[in-house]
Amino acid sequence: MSLDAVLDPASVAVIGASDDPDKVGGRPLVHLARNGFAGRILPVNPTRTQVQGHVCFPDIASLPEVPEVALVIVPGESAVRAVEELAAAGTQVAVVIASGFSEVGPEGLLRERHMKAAAAAAGMRIIGPNSMGVCNFATGTVLTFTTAFIEVPPVDGPVAIVSQSGSMAVEPYMLLASEGIGIRQVHATGNDSDVSVGEMAVLAASDPSVELLLLYLESVKDVDSLAELGRVALERDLPVIALKAGRTPAGEAAAASHTGALAGEDRVVDAFLERHGIWRARDLGDLVRATALHLRPKRPKGNSVVIISNSGASCVQSADAAELWGLGVAPLAAETRAALDSVLPGFATSTNPVDLTAALIGNSRLFADVLPPLAADPAVHAIHLALPIAGQGYDVEAFAVDLAVVAEDIPVVVSCPMPERITAPFTAKGLPLFRTEVDAIAALGSYAGAWQRRLDARARGPMAVLVPRIGPTRMLDEAASMAFVATAGLPVVEHRLCRDVGEAVAAFHELGGARVVLKGCTAAASHKSELGIVRLELGSESEVADAYDQVMDALQKVDPAAPGVIVATMVRGRRELLLGARQDSVFGPVVVVGDGGTYVEAMPDVQLLLPPFTADEVRAALDALRIAPLLHGLRGESPMDLDSVARAAVRVGDLVADPDTGVVSVELNPLLVGDDGQGCRALDAVVHVADGDGPTSGGAA
Amino acid sequence: MSLDAVLDPASVAVIGASDDPDKVGGRPLVHLARNGFAGRILPVNPTRTQVQGHVCFPDIASLPEVPEVALVIVPGESAVRAVEELAAAGTQVAVVIASGFSEVGPEGLLRERHMKAAAAAAGMRIIGPNSMGVCNFATGTVLTFTTAFIEVPPVDGPVAIVSQSGSMAVEPYMLLASEGIGIRQVHATGNDSDVSVGEMAVLAASDPSVELLLLYLESVKDVDSLAELGRVALERDLPVIALKAGRTPAGEAAAASHTGALAGEDRVVDAFLERHGIWRARDLGDLVRATALHLRPKRPKGNSVVIISNSGASCVQSADAAELWGLGVAPLAAETRAALDSVLPGFATSTNPVDLTAALIGNSRLFADVLPPLAADPAVHAIHLALPIAGQGYDVEAFAVDLAVVAEDIPVVVSCPMPERITAPFTAKGLPLFRTEVDAIAALGSYAGAWQRRLDARARGPMAVLVPRIGPTRMLDEAASMAFVATAGLPVVEHRLCRDVGEAVAAFHELGGARVVLKGCTAAASHKSELGIVRLELGSESEVADAYDQVMDALQKVDPAAPGVIVATMVRGRRELLLGARQDSVFGPVVVVGDGGTYVEAMPDVQLLLPPFTADEVRAALDALRIAPLLHGLRGESPMDLDSVARAAVRVGDLVADPDTGVVSVELNPLLVGDDGQGCRALDAVVHVADGDGPTSGGAA
C-alpha cells in the first residue's frame, strides 16, 4: 500500500456522494469533473442510483472494483464503518473529510483511534479525519469540498501548499492564484491521525515538477517526517517555506486552545527548521511574498542588493528595509562608480542606493545606462528598482525590457504604487512587482535568506532526529551532579563533599588553603543563594568551620536528608556563562548556551542548539549572543576562552543525545570562563537522570 | 503676508507657463482647470500671448495685478530673479518648483540663500525650491507638475499629506486614492529653504475638514514647527502619523547621502514624536494602513481586541499579530462566555480568540449570535473578523450588515483573501478590509497606538522646545566634574583631589580609613581603566601610597598637566547605572538613563528622555529597560532606590535645559544605586561646559 496513490489514483470512491453540486458530498464530483480527473469515479450513496451523471452504488461492498483511493464524507460512526470496510477491501488511502473526531473531545478521540487502528491493521493510510482534502491539479485529483477552487479556479503550476489547517491551505492559494501564480498541489491533513503534514509534504516534495513548497504547521508532532522533508528538499534544492503561528505568548495560548497539542517551544522550532534547511516565514504575507523569486531557475549568489530609484526618499526607505530583512546594501566597485559618474547628473552620488533623481523624467535612458555596470558589479547580488512615481514621461516599457535581460542572471524586484495600467510592462515581463519599497525588499530578503539557509544546512549534512526523553526523572544533588559531569569529561571546579566540620576544614587545606566557597549540598533546592546555604570567600580554618555550622543549620530546614556541604576552590574568571541541556517535549534534547549567573531567567540571553553539533556551531551561537562583544574582549581586554566553552557544549550535547548516559537534563550555571587558554569551569551543576539511572550523591571530583 | 493664501489664493501667477499640457510648465494649468480653481490664473511667458486659453504675460512687471501666489517653474537664476520681482511686487507666497539649488551643491546653496533673503526682505514666503508643489483639492489650488493626479484623479476628502519629498507625497496618495479614500491636501516642501515641512503641516492641520494628517520627514530641521504641529493636532484630537526613514544604519547612511542634512539621532526622533503626540509609522504600508480607522468619528476606548474567525489557524495568526502590534487579546467576561457557550458548537471554546469553526458554513446565524455579547463586553475595544474562507455557503452580506451596526461604536476590521466579488459587502458598508489577518491587526494596532499616544501627550501637556547647544565646549576633569555636579545637587561619592602622596594618605584617613579608590584625574582621557590609572580596594596607608606612585607614573604619560589623583570612598551598591545628558544636533538636550558600567557602549540598555520631564516619566523609562526586573528586585531581593535615580535624572534634565548653567553634557557612570532608601551616588562624572564657562578642576565635594 502506498500513499503515492492519493496523487493519481486509477479509481476514487466518494463515500457519501450527493447529487447536489453545492453540498459537501456533491462538490468533490464537481471538482473531479472540472479538473479533468481521468480515473474511474465511484460514488456511494444508498439512496440513489445516479449521482451527477455517474452510476451510484448503495454501499462499499457493491462497488465493482476496489477503489485505490476513497474520499470519506459521511459523518461520525458511519465514517468509521466506511474506513473499516475500505481497509478490508484493500483500498490504499482514505481521505477522511468527516469531522467530529479528536477535535471535538475525548469521545471523538476514541473514534479516531478506532478508525486508525482498523486502517493500520490492513495497511491502509488515512489522511484526516477533519481534513479539507487532497488536491493534485496536474492529474485532476481534487478530493475536497472547498468552494475555494470554484471561486478562484486553479491554474496548474510549480507551487505546492501543504497544511494541517484547511483554511491555511486555502489562504495562500487565494493570495497566489489571484496573482496568476500556478499551483499544482494543495493538501490539508486535518487531525493528522495517520499521515502527518510532514509526510504529506515529503510526498509533495518528491514531485519533480514542484519547485516551491509552502507549509503551514499548526502543532509539530511528526518531527521525523519534517526532518525527512528537509533532507528530500535539500537534495534537489527545493525551497521549503514554513509558517508556524504561535510565536508570541498570545499566539501560543490561542494555539493551545485550538489544537490542544503540545507545541514544542517556539525557539526550538526555529532551531529545528534552521538545522533542516527550512525557512520560517514571519507571517502569511511573508509566506507567499517571495514566490516569484523562489521560482526563478537560477539561485542567487549572495544577499547584497543594489537599490535604484528616481527618489531619494525611496532609496532611504529601501535601505532601511534591507537592513531589517537581512540584506546587505552592496558597496559598489570603483569601476562601477566611475561608470555611474559618467552618466548620472553632476549632483547625484554614485553610491548605493543609486538615486537617479527626478532627472529620470524625460530621460529614461538614464536607467539603461546605469543598469549594465551595476549588474556587472560582483558585489551586486540583487537589484531593486523603486519607482514611487512613474507614468507620463517615463519609459516604463524600456525599463521593463532592460530589467528583464538582467533578471536572467540576477534576482530583480520592482516597487511602484502606480495603477496597473502603468506598471503592466513589468508584469508582462514576469518581473516581481510590489506596491511599496518595503514589500519588494522583504521578498528579496526572504528569498536570499531561504537560499542561504539551504546552503548552510546542506553544508552541515543531514541530521538524525533524537527522541524526547519523557518519563520520570530524578535530580542529582550538587555533589552527585558535579561528579557526574566531571566523569563525563566536563570541566568542574575542584571541590569536596564534606559530611562534618572536620572534613570541611580538611578540604580547605587540601584545596590549597586559599579562599574557598562552602555550599549546602541538596537536591531539594535549586536557588541556593536565597536560602542562606552559600558562603563565599572563606580564607581561614575558623571561617570555614563557622560557615559549616551556619550552613548546616540552614540546610537542615531545607532538606534534613542533605548529605553535607561542598567545599570548593574560590576561582576567578571573566564571565559567568550558562551551559545546559533539556528535553523539548517534541524535538527532544536541546542545548542552551548563553549568559549565566543569578538573573538568567529574568534577563535571558541564550542561544539554542540541537545536538549533535560541532564546536564551530557553538562558536556561531556564542557570536549571536547579546554579550558576544564582551566575550571577544572589549576596551583592550583579551578575548575569553570560547573554544573551551564550545568543547564543553559539544560534550553536553553528546551527553544528552546518547540515551545510554541516562542524562535527561544538565545545567551548568555558572560556567566560569577565563582568558583565552585558561579554559572554563562549572562552579555549580544540576543533573536530572532518567529515574533508575545514576548515583544519588557523588564524592570528590 | 500670510502663508494661508497658498491654500486658496485669489490669483495665481505661473512663471514659466507652457502651452503644452504635457510639459512641467503646462501641467499646472491643466491641474487648475481640472480641479475647478476659481481664482484668476496669470501665466507668464515672454514667448507667448496665450497659454492654454489664458492670456499670457511677458513678465511679472506686466501682470495686471499682484498675484497672491506664484508658482515658479523657470530654472536657476531665472527663478531667483522671478522671486525677487514677486517679492518686490507684494506676492504673498512663491511655490518654487525649480530645482538646481541646495540639493545640487554649494553653488546651488548660495543661489537658494540669495533667493530666500530677497523674499524675506519683502516678507514673502517661499515653499521650495525643488518642491513638487502645493495642492488643495477643496479649492482646486493644485500647484504642481506631477502627473500623479492625472494618472489617478483626486477625490476630495479628509486626509492631508505633507512631505518634504515629492515622491513621498505621491506614494501615500497613490495607495489611498486607489482605495477610494478622499484626500484634500498634498504638499511637498522640497528644500525647506523657508517654509518647512512642519510649518506646512501646521497649516494643513489648521483646516478643520482635515481629519488625518500623514507626514513624511526626510531630515528634521524645524523642530519648533513640529512641536507646534503636535500642539495644534492634540488640541483638536487630529491623528498625525509620521514616517521618517533612516531608522537603521543603512537607512541613515542613505539619508545622509541623499539629504546631506544632520539627521538627529533616530531614537531621539522617537522620543520627540512621542512627547508631542505624533505616532511614528514603521514603514510606508504602516503609514497608510489604518487610514479608514483614523477617520472614524469615534475614538477607541482601549487596545484590546476580540478576534472572531471560522478558522483556528486564523485565530492563532491574529493573536500573534496582536501581540506584535501592541494590542491586547481581551479576556472575556463570565457573562460573555456564558452567552457564547449557549450558541457555539459544543466543542468550540468560548475564549478569545473566538473560533466559530467550520460550523459557520451553512449556519451564518452563528456570527450574528456571538457578535452582540462580544460587542457588549467592556473588555472588548475592537473587533477583528478573520474569514480565511468565505463565498458559497457564507452569508457575507449578513456578516457585513451586522458588523456595520457594531462598527458605529467599536472599531472593526475584517480580513479575507477571497476575490472582491465575495468581499464586496464589507467594502460597501465601509468596513476596513484587508487580505491577511496580520494586515488587519496591524491597522488596529497603529490606530489604537496613535490614539493612546495622543492621550498620553495631552496628559503631559505642551512642551517647550529647547535649542541645541552647539559650539566649542570644554571637558572638565573628573574632580571638577564631580564638584560641579555635587554643587548642582546631584549625589556624588565622597572624595578628595590630591596633588601629592601626603594628601592621598591624608584623604584615606579623612574618608574614614576604610577601603578607598584612587584614580588619575585628567580631562585628557575618558576610558580610564584601560590606562592603568585606576586602583580599587585600597585598605591601608601603604597601599594608598604605592597606588599613588603607580597611578601618577601612568598619568604623566597620558596627561602631563593632570592636576593629581582622586581618592574616593569605595562604596557598595546594588547596580551600576548610567545617567547622562547630551545635545542632539537637532532636538537639543537629551537625557539618557540606563544600565551602566564599563560596557555601556557595546551592550547599550538605555532610554531617552527629553527635558523637562517628571520623576514619574523617569520611573517609566527605567521600567522600559531590559534590566528593569533586576531593578525591582529578583529572587527575594529588595527593590533598588529608583526614586533617588528618578530625582537625579530630573536634576540632570534641569541642568542641561537651563542655558545659564553652561552645561552642555553630563555623564555619571557608574551611578551606583543601592537598596530602596539608600539612594544612589555617582562614582565618576564627566561634564562638558560651553567654552568659557565653569572651572577647569574642582576641589573636594
Side-chain angles (χ1 to χ4, degrees):
Chain A
M1 302 287 168
S2 161
L3 181 59
D4 301 21
V6 80
L7 295 185
D8 189 17
S11 55
V12 169
V14 180
I15 319 298
S18 165
D19 196 47
D20 182 346
D22 287 342
K23 289 213 163 144
V24 169
R27 214 171 292 115
L29 299 172
V30 176
H31 285 309
L32 290 168
R34 283 200 185 192
N35 291 281
F37 176 64
R40 292 173 297 284
I41 299 174
L42 307 165
V44 174
N45 183 335
T47 68
R48 305 193 64 91
T49 54
Q50 278 255 329
V51 163
Q52 296 187 40
H54 302 278
V55 177
C56 183
F57 304 90
D59 47 38
I60 292 165
S62 317
L63 288 172
E65 64 177 302
V66 176
E68 266 189 31
V69 168
L71 187 63
V72 179
I73 299 164
V74 291
E77 282 302 332
S78 311
V80 179
R81 273 195 306 279
V83 165
E84 286 167 346
E85 291 174 44
L86 289 162
T91 291
Q92 303 202 28
V93 186
V95 180
V96 184
I97 278 173
S99 57
F101 291 86
S102 61
E103 82 281 6
V104 301
E107 204 175 313
L109 177 62
L110 277 179
R111 235 188 334 259
E112 186 169 310
R113 287 199 177 140
H114 184 75
M115 181 167 77
K116 183 184 165 185
M124 184 177 79
R125 304 303 306 272
I126 295 180
I127 294 168
N130 193 26
S131 153
M132 191 198 69
V134 167
C135 312
N136 181 4
F137 299 111
T139 60
T141 314
V142 183
L143 306 174
T144 180
F145 60 90
T146 184
T147 56
F149 308 135
I150 291 170
E151 306 290 3
V152 177
V155 180
D156 186 20
V159 180
I161 300 170
V162 186
S163 166
Q164 285 168 284
S165 148
S167 68
M168 272 306 293
V170 166
E171 214 168 348
Y173 169 87
M174 278 293 158
L175 297 175
L176 292 177
S178 64
E179 298 207 359
I181 291 171
I183 294 158
R184 168 143 303 179
Q185 300 186 27
V186 180
H187 313 306
T189 54
N191 293 2
D192 282 30
S193 71
D194 174 22
V195 176
S196 70
V197 65
E199 193 176 357
M200 205 61 205
V202 171
L203 184 63
S206 311
D207 178 345
S209 64
V210 166
E211 293 166 33
L212 170 66
L213 198 149
L214 305 182
L215 197 61
Y216 181 79
L217 302 172
E218 208 150 76
S219 61
V220 176
K221 284 182 272 190
D222 179 8
V223 182
D224 289 315
S225 288
L226 283 183
E228 169 73 358
L229 172 64
R231 202 189 55 73
V232 169
L234 286 182
E235 212 164 273
R236 67 181 194 88
D237 198 32
L238 170 73
V240 179
I241 318 295
L243 176 60
K244 183 185 174 295
R247 334 177 54 108
T248 67
E252 226 168 289
S257 141
H258 173 51
T259 69
L262 280 173
E265 190 194 320
D266 194 71
R267 284 195 62 172
V268 188
V269 176
D270 275 341
F272 179 86
L273 295 178
E274 180 179 353
R275 185 62 185 80
H276 291 275
I278 297 171
W279 183 248
R280 183 167 181 182
R282 299 186 187 184
D283 54 41
L284 176 60
D286 191 25
L287 180 69
V288 299
R289 202 180 283 119
T291 295
L293 289 167
H294 290 300
L295 295 177
R296 299 176 72 241
K298 285 214 179 171
R299 296 313 183 198
K301 293 200 183 74
N303 77 339
S304 280
V305 62
V306 70
I307 298 153
I308 312 172
S309 181
N310 56 340
S311 151
S314 284
C315 289
V316 181
Q317 290 177 76
S318 302
D320 264 340
E323 182 141 334
L324 295 170
W325 286 88
L327 294 173
V329 177
L332 303 178
E335 311 88 83
T336 313
R337 297 192 59 176
L340 296 189
D341 282 332
S342 70
V343 293
L344 286 178
F347 55 89
T349 56
S350 59
T351 48
N352 182 14
V354 180
D355 182 4
L356 302 177
T357 75
L360 186 64
I361 192 169
N363 176 15
S364 286
R365 281 287 319 151
L366 207 46
F367 181 66
D369 287 343
V370 302
L371 193 55
L374 288 171
D377 191 315
V380 171
H381 306 138
I383 294 175
H384 173 208
L385 173 61
L387 285 179
I389 307 189
Q392 205 195 347
Y394 297 87
D395 191 347
V396 172
E397 186 68 45
F399 299 160
V401 168
D402 293 340
L403 263 184
V405 172
V406 168
E408 300 270 315
D409 288 314
I410 295 181
V412 164
V413 289
V414 180
S415 61
C416 184
M418 305 296 290
E420 213 179 310
R421 179 168 42 80
I422 292 171
T423 58
F426 296 120
T427 329
K429 287 284 178 193
L431 297 165
L433 175 71
F434 302 87
R435 297 206 76 192
T436 65
E437 294 86 355
V438 65
D439 275 358
I441 289 286
L444 264 187
S446 290
Y447 171 58
W451 162 79
Q452 184 65 51
R453 174 160 294 191
R454 294 198 299 282
L455 278 195
D456 292 347
R458 210 177 291 124
R460 287 157 80 176
M463 188 185 99
V465 170
L466 300 172
V467 180
R469 313 197 63 201
I470 300 168
T473 67
R474 195 161 46 82
M475 175 173 152
L476 306 189
D477 67 35
E478 184 173 343
S481 294
M482 287 173 88
F484 194 106
V485 296
T487 307
L490 285 159
V492 172
V493 68
E494 211 187 342
H495 67 281
R496 301 286 183 277
L497 175 63
C498 305
R499 287 170 184 85
D500 59 41
V501 66
E503 284 185 15
V505 169
F508 167 65
H509 289 296
E510 281 169 45
L511 295 174
R515 294 196 173 183
V516 295
V517 180
L518 196 145
K519 292 184 282 188
C521 176
T522 170
S526 51
H527 285 178
K528 290 187 182 140
S529 48
E530 283 99 316
L531 299 171
I533 56 173
V534 179
R535 291 286 183 285
L536 306 175
E537 302 265 8
L538 308 174
S540 68
E541 271 194 21
S542 63
E543 279 179 15
V544 170
D546 288 353
Y548 181 89
D549 291 340
Q550 290 159 11
V551 165
M552 278 310 282
D553 274 359
L555 189 58
Q556 291 303 318
K557 290 173 197 138
V558 179
D559 179 8
V565 302
I566 291 170
V567 176
T569 311
M570 179 98 201
V571 289
R572 308 270 169 206
R574 290 277 298 280
R575 185 80 184 184
E576 294 189 340
L577 299 182
L578 163 78
L579 173 59
R582 53 185 172 70
Q583 301 290 318
D584 183 85
S585 58
V586 173
F587 296 95
V590 183
V591 170
V592 182
V593 62
D595 200 13
T598 317
Y599 302 118
V600 286
E601 284 147 12
M603 298 189 297
D605 178 20
V606 296
Q607 291 288 317
L608 308 187
L609 290 155
L610 297 183
F613 48 79
T614 64
D616 281 348
E617 288 172 63
V618 183
R619 291 294 302 254
L622 292 171
D623 282 347
L625 293 173
R626 180 176 181 269
I627 57 163
L630 195 147
L631 299 178
H632 290 291
L634 279 170
R635 301 183 50 179
E637 297 166 348
S638 65
M640 301 187 200
D641 196 339
L642 301 183
D643 282 335
S644 73
V645 176
R647 282 193 301 271
V650 170
R651 187 71 198 106
V652 166
D654 292 345
L655 266 185
V656 287
D658 177 1
D660 294 341
T661 63
V663 176
V664 176
S665 76
V666 179
E667 184 171 311
L668 309 180
N669 182 18
L671 176 77
L672 190 68
V673 59
D675 289 329
D676 209 0
Q678 296 188 351
C680 61
R681 267 179 292 188
L683 306 191
D684 202 344
V686 181
V687 173
H688 283 83
V689 293
D691 210 1
D693 285 329
T696 301
S697 185
Chain B
M1 302 288 170
S2 161
L3 181 59
D4 300 21
V6 80
L7 295 185
D8 190 17
S11 56
V12 169
V14 180
I15 318 300
S18 164
D19 196 48
D20 182 344
D22 287 344
K23 288 213 162 142
V24 169
R27 214 171 291 114
L29 298 171
V30 176
H31 285 309
L32 290 167
R34 283 201 184 191
N35 291 280
F37 177 64
R40 292 172 297 283
I41 299 174
L42 309 164
V44 173
N45 182 338
T47 69
R48 303 195 64 92
T49 53
Q50 278 255 329
V51 164
Q52 296 187 41
H54 302 278
V55 177
C56 183
F57 303 91
D59 48 37
I60 292 166
S62 315
L63 288 172
E65 64 177 304
V66 175
E68 264 190 30
V69 169
L71 186 63
V72 179
I73 299 165
V74 291
E77 282 303 332
S78 310
V80 178
R81 274 194 305 278
V83 165
E84 286 168 346
E85 291 175 42
L86 290 162
T91 291
Q92 304 204 25
V93 186
V95 180
V96 183
I97 278 175
S99 57
F101 290 86
S102 61
E103 82 281 7
V104 301
E107 207 175 311
L109 177 62
L110 276 179
R111 232 184 341 254
E112 185 170 309
R113 286 198 178 143
H114 184 78
M115 180 168 79
K116 182 183 166 185
M124 184 177 80
R125 304 303 307 271
I126 295 180
I127 295 169
N130 195 25
S131 154
M132 192 199 68
V134 166
C135 313
N136 181 4
F137 299 111
T139 60
T141 313
V142 183
L143 306 173
T144 179
F145 61 89
T146 185
T147 56
F149 308 136
I150 291 170
E151 305 292 4
V152 178
V155 180
D156 187 18
V159 180
I161 299 169
V162 186
S163 167
Q164 285 168 288
S165 149
S167 68
M168 272 306 294
V170 166
E171 216 170 345
Y173 169 87
M174 279 294 158
L175 297 175
L176 292 177
S178 64
E179 298 207 359
I181 290 171
I183 295 157
R184 169 144 302 180
Q185 299 186 29
V186 180
H187 313 306
T189 54
N191 292 2
D192 282 30
S193 71
D194 173 21
V195 177
S196 70
V197 65
E199 191 176 357
M200 206 61 206
V202 170
L203 182 64
S206 312
D207 177 345
S209 64
V210 167
E211 294 166 32
L212 169 66
L213 196 148
L214 305 181
L215 196 62
Y216 181 78
L217 301 173
E218 209 151 75
S219 61
V220 177
K221 285 181 273 190
D222 179 8
V223 182
D224 290 315
S225 288
L226 282 182
E228 168 73 358
L229 172 64
R231 200 190 56 72
V232 169
L234 287 181
E235 212 164 272
R236 67 180 193 86
D237 197 33
L238 170 73
V240 178
I241 318 295
L243 176 59
K244 181 184 176 296
R247 341 177 49 110
T248 67
E252 224 168 291
S257 140
H258 173 51
T259 67
L262 280 172
E265 190 194 321
D266 194 71
R267 286 194 61 173
V268 188
V269 175
D270 275 341
F272 179 86
L273 294 178
E274 179 178 354
R275 185 61 185 83
H276 292 275
I278 298 171
W279 183 247
R280 183 168 181 182
R282 298 186 188 185
D283 54 40
L284 176 59
D286 190 26
L287 180 69
V288 298
R289 202 181 281 119
T291 296
L293 290 166
H294 290 302
L295 294 177
R296 300 176 70 243
K298 286 214 178 172
R299 294 313 182 197
K301 293 199 180 74
N303 78 339
S304 280
V305 62
V306 69
I307 297 153
I308 311 172
S309 181
N310 55 340
S311 152
S314 284
C315 289
V316 181
Q317 290 177 77
S318 302
D320 264 341
E323 181 140 336
L324 295 170
W325 286 89
L327 293 173
V329 177
L332 302 178
E335 311 88 83
T336 312
R337 298 192 57 175
L340 296 189
D341 283 331
S342 70
V343 293
L344 285 178
F347 56 89
T349 55
S350 58
T351 47
N352 182 14
V354 180
D355 182 3
L356 302 177
T357 77
L360 185 65
I361 191 168
N363 177 14
S364 285
R365 282 287 318 151
L366 207 49
F367 182 65
D369 287 344
V370 302
L371 193 56
L374 286 171
D377 190 315
V380 172
H381 306 138
I383 293 177
H384 173 207
L385 173 61
L387 285 179
I389 306 188
Q392 204 194 344
Y394 297 89
D395 192 349
V396 172
E397 186 66 47
F399 300 160
V401 168
D402 292 341
L403 263 184
V405 173
V406 168
E408 301 269 316
D409 288 315
I410 295 181
V412 164
V413 289
V414 180
S415 62
C416 184
M418 306 295 291
E420 213 179 309
R421 178 170 41 81
I422 292 171
T423 57
F426 295 120
T427 330
K429 287 285 178 193
L431 296 164
L433 175 72
F434 302 87
R435 297 207 77 192
T436 65
E437 295 85 355
V438 63
D439 275 359
I441 290 286
L444 264 186
S446 290
Y447 171 59
W451 162 80
Q452 184 65 51
R453 174 160 291 191
R454 293 198 300 282
L455 279 193
D456 292 347
R458 210 177 292 122
R460 288 156 80 176
M463 187 185 98
V465 170
L466 300 171
V467 180
R469 313 196 64 199
I470 300 169
T473 66
R474 196 160 45 83
M475 175 173 152
L476 306 189
D477 67 35
E478 184 173 342
S481 294
M482 288 173 85
F484 194 105
V485 296
T487 307
L490 285 159
V492 171
V493 66
E494 211 186 343
H495 66 280
R496 301 287 183 275
L497 175 62
C498 306
R499 287 170 185 85
D500 59 42
V501 67
E503 282 185 18
V505 170
F508 168 66
H509 289 295
E510 279 170 46
L511 295 173
R515 294 195 175 185
V516 295
V517 180
L518 194 146
K519 292 185 281 187
C521 178
T522 170
S526 51
H527 284 178
K528 289 186 182 140
S529 47
E530 283 98 317
L531 299 171
I533 55 174
V534 178
R535 289 287 183 285
L536 306 175
E537 301 266 9
L538 307 173
S540 68
E541 269 194 23
S542 64
E543 279 179 13
V544 169
D546 289 352
Y548 182 88
D549 291 340
Q550 291 158 10
V551 164
M552 279 309 283
D553 274 359
L555 188 58
Q556 290 304 314
K557 290 173 199 138
V558 181
D559 179 9
V565 302
I566 292 171
V567 176
T569 311
M570 179 98 202
V571 289
R572 310 268 168 207
R574 290 278 298 280
R575 184 82 183 182
E576 294 188 339
L577 299 182
L578 163 77
L579 172 59
R582 54 184 172 69
Q583 301 291 318
D584 183 85
S585 57
V586 174
F587 296 96
V590 183
V591 170
V592 183
V593 63
D595 200 14
T598 318
Y599 304 117
V600 287
E601 283 147 12
M603 299 189 296
D605 177 21
V606 296
Q607 292 287 319
L608 308 187
L609 291 155
L610 298 183
F613 48 80
T614 65
D616 281 347
E617 288 172 64
V618 183
R619 291 295 303 253
L622 292 171
D623 282 347
L625 292 173
R626 179 175 181 271
I627 57 163
L630 195 147
L631 300 178
H632 289 291
L634 279 170
R635 300 183 52 179
E637 296 166 347
S638 65
M640 302 187 200
D641 195 338
L642 302 184
D643 282 335
S644 73
V645 177
R647 281 192 301 273
V650 169
R651 186 71 197 107
V652 166
D654 292 345
L655 266 186
V656 286
D658 177 1
D660 293 342
T661 63
V663 175
V664 175
S665 77
V666 179
E667 184 171 310
L668 309 179
N669 181 20
L671 176 77
L672 189 69
V673 59
D675 289 330
D676 210 0
Q678 296 187 350
C680 61
R681 265 178 294 187
L683 307 191
D684 203 343
V686 181
V687 173
H688 283 83
V689 294
D691 210 0
D693 286 329
T696 300
S697 184

